[in-house]
Structures are given as C-alpha cells and as structure tokens.
Amino acid sequence: VTLGGKIATPGVVEPPRDWRTRYMTEDAYLNVKPPEFLIDGFLVKKSIAMLAGPVAQRKSIIALNIAHALCTGEPLFGYFNVTGGHDRVCYLCPEMGAASFVKRIKQIGLGEYIGKTLFVQTMSEKPTALDDLDNELPGAVVIVDTITRFIDGDENKSEDMRKFAQKIFRLMNAGATVVLLHHSKKGSSGSLDDGLRGSSELAAFVDSC
C-alpha cells in the first residue's frame, strides 16, 4: 500500500498530511447538539452518572426509584419528568440475593416490567462481566450496584481504575447510559475528589455525581 508516494508499513499509523485534521472542524462544531435528558434535569442520555454515599444509606433504593421512573414514565420522586429515549433498564446487583431483591422490586411496583423493559441480575444468577454486555446495550440504562464487584484489581490503584473506566466507556459508546453506585469515604470533606472511595481516577471520568 502506498501513501503519498511512500510504502505504508502495516500496523504503523502514518501522521496526518494536514495538522488541521487533528482538530474539530467547523461542520462538526455546527452539528454539536445540547445534552439530551432521559430524566429531565437529572440523567443525561449516553452519559456516566455516579450515585455515591456511605454504606447502608439507601443508594440501591434511590437506584430502584430511577429504574421505576424509567420503566413507568412517572416523574422521579414526583419531580423530575421522564423525557424518554431509552428502551430498557439493566440492573446488575451481584451483592444481593434474588429473594431480597425481588422483595424490593415488588414493594416499588416493578414486577410487571421484569423481562420486558427491566432486566435484573442478582447473586443468584450467573454473573455477567461488563465486557460480556453486548446486544442489550443500545438504548439501555445500565445500573451497576455496586462498582466494587466489577473492578478487576485494586480500586485504590489508578491503573486499575483506568482499566475499569475503559470498560464503562465501552458501554456508553455502544449506546448505553450508565449509572454507577459506589461508597463514599469515611470522614470525607464532601468534595468530589475526596468523597469517593478509591483512586481519584474514578471522579475524573464520570459526567455527573
């Protein structure tokens, strides 16, 4: 293969002929659209959102309320309107058994949506790695409860968290909106960098928290 009169070496990325191609074009600039919300003022489509807090402070209950709003179309907490634009909710919760999780689903009124627009996985089902998610991703809201069960390595190591971030970016690039549940630090100041347990890489790649 020749490139500009030279023989191109397989596997070698040739530098651009014009340095301007590295940057945003005017057409691309004119076609950038404002964020599209699935839940108005709360959850942006094809974004990475984080729900963080201390242990046993009802993060899962809040996440189930998000799932309820998305499945029923009812306003979240009676306040944030659901604008739509999603096809399904995939709730991954390997920290909880089926009996406990089903009890919560029944209490919140989501039973009729199971296997239709709500797909749940608990510790009672065969675990699915984030890398295994595929055809269900386009148009999905993927709730990961909690991220600790899906991190390969040490959450305190920036290199391991960068690898985890790449897995989450793959979900988003495949068409999913991702909601991550995580624990906050004990005695944190409340700031984003200091508030999340583990490496600061985590706070760096989420869109909202």
Side-chain angles (χ1 to χ4, degrees):
V1 180
T2 60
L3 182 64
K6 299 180 181 179
I7 298 177
T9 305
V12 175
V13 178
E14 297 289 340
R17 298 181 186 180
D18 186 341
W19 58 264
R20 294 172 183 81
T21 60
R22 294 191 182 102
Y23 303 95
M24 179 185 289
T25 64
E26 182 182 12
D27 286 342
Y29 159 75
L30 293 172
N31 284 288
V32 172
K33 294 179 174 56
E36 181 180 349
F37 283 88
L38 297 180
I39 301 177
D40 194 31
F42 187 89
L43 183 61
V44 175
K45 184 176 183 179
K46 294 183 181 179
S47 69
I48 302 170
M50 172 73 72
L51 177 60
V55 175
Q57 292 301 306
R58 302 184 178 181
K59 294 185 293 295
S60 296
I61 297 299
I62 294 173
L64 279 170
N65 273 274
I66 294 172
H68 182 273
L70 292 169
C71 288
T72 65
E74 297 176 9
L76 175 62
F77 309 130
Y79 183 81
F80 298 99
N81 290 324
V82 176
T83 54
H86 61 285
D87 299 320
R88 67 194 67 85
V89 176
C90 298
Y91 199 122
L92 308 179
C93 187
E95 292 189 341
M96 191 178 296
S100 299
F101 200 75
V102 165
K103 181 180 179 180
R104 290 186 175 186
I105 287 175
K106 288 180 178 179
Q107 289 174 335
I108 203 168
L110 281 173
E112 65 183 282
Y113 300 96
I114 293 291
K116 298 172 184 174
T117 55
L118 176 61
F119 299 86
V120 303
Q121 192 174 91
T122 69
M123 66 169 59
S124 302
E125 285 77 44
K126 183 179 179 180
T128 299
L130 296 179
D131 288 336
D132 295 332
L133 299 178
D134 189 10
N135 294 330
E136 66 265 49
L137 292 175
V141 176
V142 179
I143 300 175
V144 181
D145 184 3
T146 63
I147 70 170
T148 304
R149 302 297 181 184
F150 294 90
I151 295 173
D152 297 323
D154 187 343
E155 67 179 21
N156 294 299
K157 292 184 177 179
S158 58
E159 181 179 353
D160 290 338
M161 291 309 296
R162 278 195 293 269
K163 292 177 181 178
F164 175 71
Q166 291 172 356
K167 295 175 184 287
I168 300 302
F169 281 128
R170 185 191 74 84
L171 305 185
M172 185 182 67
N173 291 332
T177 303
V178 186
V179 179
L180 305 173
L181 274 64
H182 190 41
H183 301 300
S184 58
K185 290 181 182 177
K186 292 182 179 179
S188 70
S189 65
S191 68
L192 182 56
D193 286 335
D194 182 56
L196 301 178
R197 196 177 72 187
S199 167
S200 59
E201 286 289 332
L202 184 58
F205 80 83
V206 298
D207 295 303
S208 61
C209 185

